[in-house]
């Protein structure tokens, strides 16, 4: 059993205790330079502790596979709790279904607004039925012949699923074993989840080219669907708005991540199409917002003057948002990226531009409010 960790002191003990109760042949913990006591807490619960250079979960799992001594490996994320006897149950099911890989069914949980919404989304979304590596049994020979791509700091699970499918490796999701998947509380944790998901999609487009472009539509289609469905439960709307914005920004960042080599076939054109699609989508949302403002303006006396002000508001606010997104994308680009080198010198100017747009938006809004009064 292979458990990758990095600064997981809050969860590592409960995870490894559940791992022990699941009946593994051995427990290999691969730690990515934790500095919060994770390794010390795990010393009496793991058979091997391997320290890597913090290259990400994919690289950590590869290190664990190299050290494995059994014909099957079980990848378990530290935020997962396995039920007792899970190893034998998964082995029996994989054998009965003639599978080379089997992911346990996930039941996500949270403890505050943001983590509860993440859990609800995962429990009701399509990804629940996708093969991944949160708690996954895989033949060791398959894991060694299909190692995780260390260049993918996120999206490595989807990349593995794509490659296994292309090579005809039989995998599936368990119908018998369910594990608990825990989300950390707080908006910062939700933003980190959105960032990982979105950037992973962009990186997959770089690596796999045009066939992966359809993946970019997944979070945006999901956000539109669930926002439409949740107007009767408006408390979910802030989460899905954040989900949409976080995935959009991070997908753009992933598309520009030069650490991931471009697909030899059509990677460059796929990235261009992906960037254009994301920008077009943002423009489309802006037009929808504008249309809603126009509709509201026509319902209020003084339409002509108010309509003129309403037309200015989304333009100013949109420019401010684009400036902030540009700053965040620049901040996430790797050192040495040519776009980062060219644009980081303009950070202060972009920030000043954003502040001016915010002030103008506020002034225009106040003017509109005076018209209403």
């Amino acid at each position: 059993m292979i458990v990758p960790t990095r600064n997981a002191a809050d969860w590592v003990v409960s995870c490894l205790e559940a791992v022990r109760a699941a009946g593994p042949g051995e427990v290999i913990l691969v730690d990515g330079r934790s500095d919060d006591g994770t390794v010390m807490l795990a010393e009496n619960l793991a058979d091997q502790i391997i320290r890597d250079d913090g290259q990400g979960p994919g690289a950590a799992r590869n290190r664990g596979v190299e050290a494995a001594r059994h014909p099957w490996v079980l990848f378990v994320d530290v935020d997962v709790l396995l039920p007792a006897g899970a190893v034998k149950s998964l082995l029996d099911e994989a054998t009965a279904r003639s599978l080379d890989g089997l992911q346990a069914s996930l039941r996500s949980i949270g403890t505050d607004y943001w983590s509860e919404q993440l859990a609800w989304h995962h429990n009701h979304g399509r990804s629940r039925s996708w093969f991944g590596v949160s708690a996954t049994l895989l033949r060791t020979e398959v894991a060694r012949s299909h190692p995780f791509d260390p260049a993918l700091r996120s999206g490595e699970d989807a990349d593995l699923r794509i490659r296994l499918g292309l090579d005809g490796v039989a995998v599936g999701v368990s119908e018998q074993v369910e594990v608990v998947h825990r989300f950390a509380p707080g908006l910062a944790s939700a933003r980190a989840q959105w960032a990982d998901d979105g950037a992973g999609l962009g990186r997959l487009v770089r690596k796999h080219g045009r066939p992966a472009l359809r993946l970019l539509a997944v979070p945006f289609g999901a956000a539109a669907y669930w926002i439409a469905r949740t107007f009767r439960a408006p408390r979910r709307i802030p989460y899905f708005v954040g989900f949409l914005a976080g995935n959009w920004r991070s997908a753009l960042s992933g598309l520009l991540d030069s650490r991931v080599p471009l697909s030899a076939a059509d990677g460059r054109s796929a990235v261009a199409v992906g960037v254009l699609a994301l920008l077009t989508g943002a423009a489309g949302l802006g037009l929808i917002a504008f249309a809603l403002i126009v509709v509201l303006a026509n319902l209020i006396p003084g339409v002509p003057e108010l309509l003129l002000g309403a037309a200015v508001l989304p333009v100013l606010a949109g420019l401010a948002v684009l400036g902030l997104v540009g700053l965040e994308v620049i901040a996430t680009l790797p050192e040495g990226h040519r776009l980062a080198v060219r644009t980081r010198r303009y950070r202060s100017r972009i920030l000043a531009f954003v502040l001016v747009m915010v002030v103008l938006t506020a002034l225009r809004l106040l003017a509109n409010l005076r018209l209403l009064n």
Side-chain angles (χ1 to χ4, degrees), residues 100-371:
D100 295 311
L102 182 65
Q103 176 180 283
S105 176
L106 302 179
R107 178 173 61 86
S108 298
I109 62 171
T111 56
D112 71 340
Y113 172 80
W114 295 105
S115 58
E116 286 174 355
Q117 298 310 309
L118 277 167
W120 185 91
H121 187 192
H122 276 241
N123 289 334
H124 291 81
R126 292 175 58 193
S127 60
R128 180 179 174 83
S129 62
W130 294 348
F131 177 84
V133 290
S134 295
T136 302
L137 187 72
L138 195 63
R139 288 190 187 276
T140 303
E141 62 184 41
V142 172
R144 287 177 177 160
S145 61
H146 296 78
F148 292 93
D149 186 344
L152 298 176
R153 308 283 296 197
S154 62
E156 78 287 349
D157 52 348
D159 172 61
L160 178 65
R161 181 171 65 246
I162 292 171
R163 290 186 286 117
L164 291 176
L166 291 173
D167 290 343
V169 179
V171 299
V173 177
S174 177
E175 301 168 354
Q176 302 174 15
V177 179
E178 182 182 78
V179 302
V180 175
H181 175 222
R182 301 170 289 180
F183 280 110
L187 176 58
S189 296
R191 291 186 64 186
Q193 182 69 47
W194 300 330
D196 283 346
D197 292 344
L201 295 175
R203 290 165 182 152
L204 288 173
V205 172
R206 290 185 66 90
K207 179 172 181 178
H208 293 280
R210 287 180 179 266
L213 276 171
R214 61 185 177 82
L215 296 174
L216 287 177
V218 171
F220 309 105
Y225 173 78
W226 286 116
I227 287 175
R229 286 284 304 272
T230 56
F231 272 109
R232 287 179 295 180
R235 67 186 303 269
R236 299 200 196 283
I237 294 176
Y239 164 79
F240 280 106
V241 170
F243 167 79
L244 178 61
N247 273 266
W248 187 91
R249 179 192 67 80
S250 300
L252 188 59
S253 176
L255 285 168
L256 300 175
D257 188 350
S258 60
R259 293 171 295 187
V260 180
L262 289 167
S263 165
D266 55 11
R268 190 173 298 278
S269 63
V271 168
V273 171
V275 170
L276 180 62
L278 291 176
L279 295 178
T280 302
L285 287 175
L287 289 174
I288 292 172
F290 172 71
L292 291 174
I293 291 174
V294 170
V295 169
L296 291 174
N298 278 280
L299 298 176
I300 302 172
V303 170
E305 192 173 357
L306 185 62
L307 185 59
L308 179 62
V312 173
L313 270 174
V315 173
L316 295 176
L319 289 173
V321 170
L322 286 176
L324 286 172
V325 168
L327 284 174
E328 291 202 37
V329 169
I330 292 168
T332 59
L333 291 174
E335 290 294 333
H337 192 287
R338 64 179 183 276
L339 182 61
V341 172
R342 291 177 183 176
T343 55
R344 280 176 180 160
R345 70 186 67 174
Y346 300 112
R347 278 180 177 173
S348 58
R349 298 181 189 179
I350 295 174
L351 183 58
F353 171 79
V354 170
L355 292 175
V356 169
M357 291 301 104
V358 169
V359 171
L360 290 176
T361 301
L363 292 175
R364 185 64 260 178
L365 182 59
L366 289 173
N368 280 19
L369 292 175
R370 282 197 295 271
L371 285 174

